[in-house]
């Protein structure tokens, strides 16, 4: 069985400072991992995905994540937060590499960006 | 722009009535559609998976007679909440998977907020 744990339910950063959203996963097989962002009243948007290629994955809007098998982690980072980054972020795991046939979502991390 | 739409975006209904939610893939053919439910401040929980032209596969604990799913075409899936009760109030999100611009991909709809009075 697969599962994902987002270690922080809420993260607050100042604009211009780095962002770190933590995610640990559990999977019986080689997982595919994703980060999605959900803005209020909008659909989930894919930020980036890992599918057994390069362990450092670059996504949209300056976000990136590093797959660390030894730590079973897939933390999301951004060097400099922007006000528009305030949203809910979900770490997602799928055991079927290549296609997200059945996604398991983490509980989400709400990112707050202050002036 | 959006590639998966949902209608309505929000609905308020009386207890005991049925509500239908539509999910459409706008510019690609969705061979598989997923329906999720999200409670406030919680994660998305998969309710069911449907493939075009076949019966939906429901997750454990989801009542198939209460949440009717139809995937009649490659661009449309519907979720009908039958005899809705206040505990069915939630945010329902669909997701469509298929080939778009030559790649297998999956997109999420904007969600439908249901309030049952």
């Amino acid at each position: 069985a697969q599962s994902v744990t987002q270690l922080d339910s809420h993260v607050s950063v100042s604009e211009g400072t780095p962002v770190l959203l933590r995610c640990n996963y559990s999977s019986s097989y080689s997982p595919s991992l994703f980060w999605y962002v959900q803005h209020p009243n909008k659909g989930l948007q894919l930020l980036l995905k890992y599918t057994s290629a390069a362990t450092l994955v670059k996504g949209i809007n300056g976000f990136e994540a590093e797959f660390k098998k030894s730590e079973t982690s897939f933390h999301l980072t951004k060097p400099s937060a922007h006000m528009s980054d305030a949203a809910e972020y979900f770490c997602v795991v799928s055991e079927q590499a290549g296609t997200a046939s059945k996604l398991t979502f983490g509980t989400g991390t709400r990112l707050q960006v202050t002036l | 722009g959006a590639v998966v739409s949902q209608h309505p975006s929000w609905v308020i209904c009386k207890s005991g009535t049925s509500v239908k939610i539509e999910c459409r893939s706008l510019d690609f053919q969705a061979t598989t559609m997923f329906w999720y439910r999200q409670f406030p401040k919680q994660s998305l929980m998969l309710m069911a998976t449907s493939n075009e032209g076949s019966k939906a596969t429901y997750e454990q604990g989801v009542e198939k007679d209460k949440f009717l799913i139809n995937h009649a075409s490659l661009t449309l899936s519907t979720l009908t909440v039958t005899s809705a009760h206040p505990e069915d109030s939630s945010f329902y999100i669909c997701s469509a998977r298929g080939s778009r611009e030559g790649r297998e991909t999956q997109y999420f709809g904007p969600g439908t907020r249901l309030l049952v009075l």
Side-chain angles (χ1 to χ4, degrees), chain B residues 36-65:
Chain B
Y36 294 85
R37 184 172 180 177
Q38 185 181 26
F39 289 104
K41 301 187 187 302
Q42 294 188 27
S43 187
L44 279 73
M45 299 300 295
L46 179 65
M47 298 175 66
T49 303
S50 73
N51 293 297
E52 186 265 338
S54 60
K55 290 184 178 180
T57 301
Y58 290 80
E59 294 300 300
Q60 191 172 10
V62 178
E63 299 176 58
K64 62 179 181 181
D65 294 330

Side-chain angles (χ1 to χ4, degrees), chain A residues 38 43-44 100-102 105-106, chain B residues 34 38 43-44 59 97 106 109:
Chain A
Q38 184 181 36
L44 287 157
S101 61
K102 185 172 179 178
F105 282 75
Chain B
F34 307 86
Q38 185 181 26
S43 187
L44 279 73
E59 294 300 300
R97 187 180 78 195
Q106 184 168 350

Side-chain angles (χ1 to χ4, degrees), chain B:
Chain B
V3 295
V4 176
S5 69
Q6 281 185 242
H7 178 80
S9 56
W10 59 271
V11 57
I12 301 174
C13 70
K14 292 182 179 179
S15 186
T17 61
S18 294
V19 175
K20 180 184 284 188
I21 302 170
E22 293 186 349
C23 176
R24 294 181 185 272
S25 57
L26 300 179
D27 63 355
F28 70 102
Q29 294 184 326
T31 50
T32 306
M33 284 196 175
F34 307 86
W35 285 95
Y36 294 85
R37 184 172 180 177
Q38 185 181 26
F39 289 104
K41 301 187 187 302
Q42 294 188 27
S43 187
L44 279 73
M45 299 300 295
L46 179 65
M47 298 175 66
T49 303
S50 73
N51 293 297
E52 186 265 338
S54 60
K55 290 184 178 180
T57 301
Y58 290 80
E59 294 300 300
Q60 191 172 10
V62 178
E63 299 176 58
K64 62 179 181 181
D65 294 330
K66 179 160 186 68
F67 299 99
L68 302 179
I69 292 172
N70 183 279
H71 190 171
S73 77
L74 286 171
T75 59
L76 173 65
S77 175
T78 60
L79 168 67
T80 302
V81 183
T82 62
S83 187
H85 288 91
E87 57 266 31
D88 299 324
S89 299
S90 191
F91 193 50
Y92 293 88
I93 301 173
C94 75
S95 180
R97 187 180 78 195
S99 181
R100 184 172 183 263
E101 297 177 348
R103 293 192 310 168
E104 185 79 2
T105 190
Q106 184 168 350
Y107 292 92
F108 286 81
T112 296
R113 193 164 299 281
L114 170 64
L115 177 61
V116 185
L117 301 176

Side-chain angles (χ1 to χ4, degrees), chain A residues 5 41-42 45 64 67 70 72-73 99:
Chain A
T5 302
N41 301 316
K42 291 191 176 180
Q45 181 182 21
E64 62 181 39
F67 174 73
S70 61
T72 61
S73 69
T99 58

